[in-house]
Amino acid sequence: MAKKEETAEPRTLPSPRLLPWHSEAIAQLKHAWTANRLPHAILVQGAEGLGTGSFAAWLSAAVLCDKSVDGVLDVCGACASCALIKAGSHPDLHWVAPEEDKTQLSVDQVRAACEKLSKTSFRQGYKVAIIEPAHQMTPGAANSVLKTLEEPSKGSLLVLLTSRPSGLLPTVRSRCQKLSIAGPSTAEAMAWLQKEAGKAIAPALLEFAGGAPLKALEYADGRFDELNQHMQKSLRDLFAGDTDVTQVAAEWGNDALIDRLIWLDLWLCSLARTGIAGTDDRVTFPGGPAHLPSPSRPLNISALYSMVDRTRTLKMQLARTALQRELAVESWLIALLEALAPNKAPVARAS
Ligand SMILES: [Zn+2]
């Protein structure tokens, strides 16, 4: 493998692209630009799947665009600056993202970008640094950012992107102007999704994506249907005793576990709603046509909600620590059987 430079830029940067739900944030920026009051540091906060990356790409392209200088903040797409952006070689744009196989942003990467902000610009315009995801900065990297925030240089713009603002130092947060990207309403998201996908979309897909249209679109190519069917089969077989927790844990633990946990969360909530409503034994996935496996009756509603909690905790742990996935899934599955189908649980554990 070729040796990478310490400050290697990521391979593919998001292209500038505005989505309908970005319009309010864009209006605020355009207004600040025209009033000559663009802040030197902006914290863009928005959930994953809302296109904050392409939003930041638009913002940097617009700030650097030659046509914006004495006019409206926009991306003309035709000037020399826009051409450099398209080629991925604009000398005054520094995009810091985790290097391959890494999740954190190192102090060297961030310091290099901050240093470039303090120097003279190559094209006599703005200098822009984008840090993404800002909550993944190491403490040393965050301190570099803090220094830049305390002593901003003229004509520089630092953009921090995050889906988890609480993961940033309060001192960093308080020195940035916050710009929130809110998601669209369900109706707006569904309309956008159908248009982009060019076909009918099940509302369950948007629910699975946590309301984030870009994530839903990513799964609309059949991945969601496949997941849906596989999860139903696993659970049906497990409740019927045709498979065991070890086998299911091996399957789930090694493939798309986070997606499976999101699906399970929705399934458990759907089961609980069915149980509370006292309706029949056919459990329907929210908004979807699939009939999901229903464990033994009557449903233990409080046990179901404990399983929802357990599912969310496991998902959080997976994001933060290196768990032994199969073992973690196996104990989750045993808890599920104990809660919903005690006669199928593998062993009665001593208390
Ligand atoms: Zn331009």
Side-chain angles (χ1 to χ4, degrees), residues 238 244-250 252 257 261 306-307 310-311 314 317 323-339 345-347 349:
L238 187 68
D244 60 27
V245 290
T246 313
Q247 207 176 328
V248 177
W252 291 5
L257 181 53
L261 292 172
S306 320
M307 284 312 296
R310 211 179 155 130
T311 311
L314 179 55
Q317 287 170 336
L323 278 188
Q324 282 210 306
R325 293 179 164 228
E326 283 184 42
L327 281 180
V329 174
E330 200 169 318
S331 77
W332 185 94
L333 285 164
I334 292 170
L336 179 78
L337 288 175
E338 282 171 353
V347 274
R349 280 184 286 187

Side-chain angles (χ1 to χ4, degrees), residues 182-259:
S185 68
T186 305
E188 282 169 328
M190 286 305 292
W192 181 85
L193 260 178
Q194 319 256 29
K195 193 165 150 252
E196 289 291 314
K199 62 176 180 185
I201 298 285
L205 177 53
L206 187 62
E207 201 173 343
F208 168 78
L214 293 180
K215 184 178 175 190
L217 186 62
E218 208 183 302
Y219 282 76
D221 63 353
R223 270 164 76 191
F224 178 69
D225 292 339
E226 204 180 305
L227 175 78
N228 206 5
Q229 277 160 27
H230 189 252
M231 290 304 286
Q232 290 184 51
K233 183 176 182 328
S234 292
L235 289 173
R236 244 191 324 262
D237 290 352
L238 187 68
F239 287 123
D242 293 341
T243 184
D244 60 27
V245 290
T246 313
Q247 207 176 328
V248 177
E251 273 175 38
W252 291 5
N254 290 314
D255 181 35
L257 181 53
I258 298 281
D259 287 346

Side-chain angles (χ1 to χ4, degrees), residues 13-345:
L13 300 177
S15 314
R17 185 185 181 199
L18 291 183
L19 295 159
W21 51 93
H22 294 162
S23 58
E24 203 174 303
I26 295 293
Q28 283 181 45
L29 289 168
K30 287 192 172 193
H31 187 258
W33 180 262
T34 308
N36 209 10
R37 282 205 320 265
L38 193 76
H40 60 85
I42 301 176
L43 175 61
V44 177
Q45 38 194 46
E48 277 170 33
L50 294 182
T52 49
S54 65
F55 171 85
W58 180 90
L59 170 58
S60 52
V63 164
L64 295 167
C65 175
D66 296 340
K67 286 257 172 75
S68 294
V69 176
D70 297 310
V72 177
L73 183 69
D74 213 341
V75 178
C76 79
C79 70
S81 174
C82 286
L84 286 165
I85 296 263
K86 254 183 234 161
S89 56
H90 200 297
D92 294 317
L93 173 62
H94 312 289
W95 196 303
V96 185
E99 288 173 13
E100 222 168 69
D101 304 327
K102 300 224 169 100
T103 53
Q104 290 211 301
L105 298 170
S106 73
V107 61
D108 291 335
Q109 278 181 293
V110 172
R111 193 192 285 136
C114 289
E115 271 169 15
K116 284 172 185 162
L117 285 188
S118 69
K119 303 229 166 90
T120 313
S121 87
F122 286 91
R123 298 193 72 252
Q124 281 77 48
Y126 257 87
K127 299 149 289 176
V128 184
I130 295 172
I131 297 188
E132 176 215 14
H135 57 265
Q136 301 283 49
M137 285 191 283
T138 61
N143 273 321
S144 279
V145 160
L146 200 51
K147 268 186 222 141
T148 302
L149 291 172
E150 280 163 351
E151 295 161 22
S153 60
K154 206 174 165 293
S156 69
L157 173 65
L158 180 63
V159 181
L160 304 180
L161 282 188
T162 186
S163 58
R164 201 156 58 79
S166 62
L168 271 86
L169 287 178
T171 42
V172 168
R173 278 206 309 268
S174 66
R175 283 171 172 79
C176 297
Q177 177 146 335
K178 278 137 209 112
L179 194 63
S180 297
I181 307 286
S185 68
T186 305
E188 282 169 328
M190 286 305 292
W192 181 85
L193 260 178
Q194 319 256 29
K195 193 165 150 252
E196 289 291 314
K199 62 176 180 185
I201 298 285
L205 177 53
L206 187 62
E207 201 173 343
F208 168 78
L214 293 180
K215 184 178 175 190
L217 186 62
E218 208 183 302
Y219 282 76
D221 63 353
R223 270 164 76 191
F224 178 69
D225 292 339
E226 204 180 305
L227 175 78
N228 206 5
Q229 277 160 27
H230 189 252
M231 290 304 286
Q232 290 184 51
K233 183 176 182 328
S234 292
L235 289 173
R236 244 191 324 262
D237 290 352
L238 187 68
F239 287 123
D242 293 341
T243 184
D244 60 27
V245 290
T246 313
Q247 207 176 328
V248 177
E251 273 175 38
W252 291 5
N254 290 314
D255 181 35
L257 181 53
I258 298 281
D259 287 346
R260 293 179 194 279
L261 292 172
I262 296 170
W263 187 96
L264 287 164
D265 187 333
L266 290 173
W267 170 65
L268 290 165
C269 290
S270 169
L271 263 183
R273 279 196 297 269
T274 311
I276 291 167
T279 45
D280 71 7
D281 61 350
R282 301 219 298 171
V283 179
T284 308
F285 192 72
H291 292 294
L292 290 189
S294 48
S296 59
R297 303 283 154 163
L299 284 169
N300 179 341
I301 305 294
S302 70
L304 271 172
Y305 279 117
S306 320
M307 284 312 296
V308 172
D309 285 344
R310 211 179 155 130
T311 311
R312 291 176 188 177
T313 306
L314 179 55
K315 195 167 139 257
M316 226 150 50
Q317 287 170 336
L318 283 168
R320 289 180 191 171
T321 54
L323 278 188
Q324 282 210 306
R325 293 179 164 228
E326 283 184 42
L327 281 180
V329 174
E330 200 169 318
S331 77
W332 185 94
L333 285 164
I334 292 170
L336 179 78
L337 288 175
E338 282 171 353
L340 299 182
N343 58 327
K344 296 280 170 24

